[in-house]
């Protein structure tokens, strides 16, 4: 299909807006033809996942754009990089990744990107409005923007996300189009385990279930706990996008495009109904652990996606008391770090034996000191990816379980 081009699109292609923009637009036109987009749409913002160093090609692409005089045309945030630029001493990887990763992060700044270095840009000042057309990469950020904020983006990958940022344009297809945001599958949560005191576990279990069973179809969920918070929805979307290809979900009564079931389905009938009972949710959470209770731990890792300030407010009362027997890491971003410093919480966390990791995440780069054993987490996404990414066994549990286990040096349940 040939893509319809606006006058501005043609000026981008002709080089009137600069050589880098022309290069980016040529790639976008080929991409739009491949996905069957009929035209392009203006975007209000971009979020770039390509600042994580995956080899020389990552750096070559950005350096080429810099040589062409590239500059982003819309507010553009950056996902995690390969190193913590604030705490470089935490990096234990190769010199190539350390130097290349730091240069790649800096090169994106030179293109005009904002150095947020977070997978949760929606919890900074760069929070898209309802209905905004954007071009975001990073799976959890995409599903959160679409589902919880009602912004509109497809699952953009490395390089294409940056091309959108340099042109301010995105192919108009997929979830940019209102009709395609209609739910297809109804997920009914019929009952919750009585012993689960917090909504977070339920949301991780539901997210993992829809990721495995819905693929890339849009689900509408009913029956989530009334106490479900924004961070709980963040965790749901993150594990759904990891375990499957979910880029948008509707939580009826909780997310903006689903005040009712009928609204989520745009007046049409579900193509499939999935029912989840307490036993299903217990089994799903149980399977996120690859080891039994009582297994010795080498570390605990929290904050994937990045820990919010609200999550730190839940953590702080739990750290008083005995120090952990093992390493404890919390991944978060610069904006939250500034608030922690203002409150003096960064010093309390350090005194309690907790290491803050900024700009990056423990399962994408070499930060964790000891990977010889099992690591515990309260993140469904971390539990899903870490065995493959960094070769560790994983125990999954609630935030309170993780803190208690860190003190015991082994997996315990409260």
């Amino acid at each position: 299909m040939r893509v319809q081009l606006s006058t501005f699109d043609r000026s981008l292609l002709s080089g009137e807006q600069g050589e880098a923009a022309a290069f980016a637009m040529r790639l976008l036109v080929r991409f739009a033809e491949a996905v069957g987009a009929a035209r392009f749409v203006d975007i209000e913002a971009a979020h770039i996942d390509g600042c994580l160093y995956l080899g020389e090609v990552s750096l070559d692409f950005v350096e080429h754009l810099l040589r062409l005089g590239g500059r982003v045309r819309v507010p553009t945030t950056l996902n995690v990089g390969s190193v913590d630029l604030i705490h470089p001493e935490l990096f234990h990887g190769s010199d190539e990744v350390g130097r290349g990763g730091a240069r790649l992060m800096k090169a994106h700044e030179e293109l005009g990107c904002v150095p947020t270095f977070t997978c949760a840009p929606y919890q900074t000042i760069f929070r898209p409005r309802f209905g905004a057309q954007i071009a975001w990469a990073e799976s959890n950020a995409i599903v959160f923007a679409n589902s919880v904020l009602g912004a509109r983006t497809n699952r953009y990958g490395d390089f294409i996300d940056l091309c959108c940022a340099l042109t301010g344009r995105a192919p108009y297809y997929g979830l940019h189009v209102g009709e395609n945001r209609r739910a297809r599958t109804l997920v009914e949560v019929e009952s919750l385990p009585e012993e689960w005191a917090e909504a977070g576990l339920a949301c991780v279990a539901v997210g993992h279930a829809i990721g495995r069973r819905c693929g890339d179809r849009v689900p509408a969920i009913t029956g989530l706990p009334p106490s479900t918070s924004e961070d709980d929805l963040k965790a749901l979307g993150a594990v759904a996008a990891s375990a499957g290809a979910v880029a948008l979900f509707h939580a009826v009564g909780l997310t903006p495009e689903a005040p009712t079931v009928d609204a989520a389905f745009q007046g049409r009938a579900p193509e499939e109904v999935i029912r989840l009972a307490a036993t299903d949710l217990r089994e799903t959470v149980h399977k996120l652990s690859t080891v039994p209770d009582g297994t010795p731990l080498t570390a605990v890792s929290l904050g994937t996606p990045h820990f919010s300030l609200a999550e730190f407010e839940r953590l702080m009362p739990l750290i008083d008391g005995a120090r952990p027997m093992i390493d404890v890491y919390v991944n978060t971003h610069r904006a939250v770090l500034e608030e922690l410093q203002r409150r003096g919480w960064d010093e309390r966390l350090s005194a309690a034996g907790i290491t803050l990791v900024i700009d990056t995440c423990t399962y994408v780069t070499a930060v964790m000191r000891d990977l010889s054993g099992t690591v515990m987490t309260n993140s469904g996404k971390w539990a899903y990816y870490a065995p493959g990414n960094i070769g560790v066994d994983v125990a999954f549990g609630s935030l309170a379980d993780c803190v208690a286990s860190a003190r015991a040096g082994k997996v315990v349940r409260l």
Side-chain angles (χ1 to χ4, degrees):
M1 175 184 291
R2 293 193 64 82
V3 183
Q4 293 181 347
L5 300 176
S6 68
T7 302
F8 181 66
D9 294 332
R10 296 185 186 284
S11 76
L12 286 164
L13 286 170
S14 70
E16 291 178 22
Q17 308 300 324
E19 291 184 41
F23 174 81
M25 194 64 194
R26 287 197 296 274
L27 290 182
L28 281 182
V29 169
R30 296 297 299 272
F31 177 78
E33 290 171 348
V35 298
R39 63 182 176 87
F40 288 90
V41 63
D42 283 335
I43 57 170
E44 297 183 12
H47 180 67
I48 309 301
D49 193 29
C51 53
L52 181 71
Y53 185 80
L54 298 175
E56 192 64 29
V57 65
S58 302
L59 194 51
D60 287 348
F61 186 79
V62 180
E63 298 279 22
H64 179 64
L65 292 172
L66 283 171
R67 285 192 294 273
L68 295 177
R71 193 77 180 168
V72 295
R73 299 183 66 91
V74 294
T76 302
T77 47
L78 292 174
N79 207 58
V80 297
S82 296
V83 293
D84 180 344
L85 295 177
I86 296 175
H87 308 108
E89 70 279 5
L90 294 178
F91 182 71
H92 302 300
S94 68
D95 289 344
E96 180 206 347
V97 175
R99 285 195 301 270
R103 173 56 196 150
L104 184 63
M105 295 164 80
K106 180 64 177 174
H108 278 89
E109 286 189 61
E110 293 170 8
L111 287 174
C113 303
V114 182
T116 49
F117 300 125
T118 179
C119 57
Y122 43 82
Q123 291 185 326
T124 70
I125 61 171
F126 299 96
R127 189 176 171 97
R129 65 177 178 85
F130 177 82
Q133 299 284 3
I134 60 176
W136 274 23
E138 156 55 32
S139 61
N140 100 82
I142 293 162
V143 69
F144 189 97
N146 276 318
S147 310
V148 182
L149 302 182
R152 299 186 172 197
T153 180
N154 288 312
R155 292 171 65 104
Y156 289 107
D158 289 4
F159 304 154
I160 295 299
D161 51 3
L162 192 52
C163 288
C164 291
L166 264 69
T167 59
R169 302 284 278 168
Y172 187 65
Y173 79 109
L175 295 177
H176 288 292
V177 183
E179 182 182 350
N180 295 337
R181 301 173 69 82
R182 173 170 61 88
R184 304 295 179 121
T185 302
L186 178 61
V187 179
E188 295 180 338
V189 180
E190 295 182 321
S191 60
L192 298 169
E194 295 177 355
E195 68 274 19
W196 288 2
E198 56 185 62
L201 287 176
C203 285
V204 169
V206 171
H208 193 271
I210 66 175
R212 297 297 296 269
R213 299 179 63 174
C214 292
D216 63 355
R217 289 174 297 161
V218 178
I221 308 162
T222 63
L224 289 176
S227 60
T228 299
S229 67
E230 180 176 300
D231 283 318
D232 295 329
L233 294 175
K234 175 177 74 172
L236 189 160
V239 71
S242 304
V246 175
L248 164 64
F249 68 86
H250 299 297
V252 176
L254 296 173
T255 56
E257 294 176 69
T260 63
V261 171
D262 191 57
F265 284 89
Q266 298 183 9
R268 298 174 69 174
E271 297 171 1
E272 181 187 15
V273 178
I274 297 173
R275 295 184 174 85
L276 299 173
T279 52
D280 303 310
L281 301 180
R282 279 195 200 94
E283 182 181 2
T284 299
V285 163
H286 178 72
K287 287 182 175 177
L288 284 171
S289 296
T290 61
V291 296
D293 292 354
T295 299
L297 295 171
T298 56
V300 165
S301 182
L302 309 171
T304 307
H306 275 170
F307 234 41
S308 68
L309 186 61
E311 288 173 302
F312 275 106
E313 288 172 341
R314 291 177 52 215
L315 175 63
M316 296 308 291
L318 302 177
I319 67 172
D320 295 329
R323 285 174 62 90
M325 296 178 63
I326 56 175
D327 295 333
V328 178
Y329 301 90
V330 184
N331 305 294
T332 190
H333 58 83
R334 296 179 177 196
V336 170
L337 176 63
E338 290 178 5
E339 183 59 24
L340 295 178
Q341 291 169 333
R342 191 185 68 78
R343 298 184 184 198
W345 287 4
D346 59 326
E347 294 180 358
R348 280 185 59 195
L349 290 160
S350 178
I354 294 172
T355 300
L356 294 176
V357 179
I358 315 298
D359 294 343
T360 188
C361 180
T362 51
Y363 82 87
V364 300
T365 195
V367 166
M368 302 184 75
R369 187 179 58 85
D370 185 356
L371 295 176
S372 64
T374 299
V375 180
M376 192 165 186
T377 183
N378 70 336
S379 164
K381 179 175 182 176
W382 204 97
Y384 188 84
Y385 278 135
N389 275 23
I390 56 176
V392 295
D393 278 314
V394 169
F396 174 83
S398 68
L399 178 62
D401 286 344
C402 289
V403 174
S405 298
R407 288 200 176 101
K410 62 182 180 181
V411 181
V412 297
R413 306 290 179 185
L414 297 178

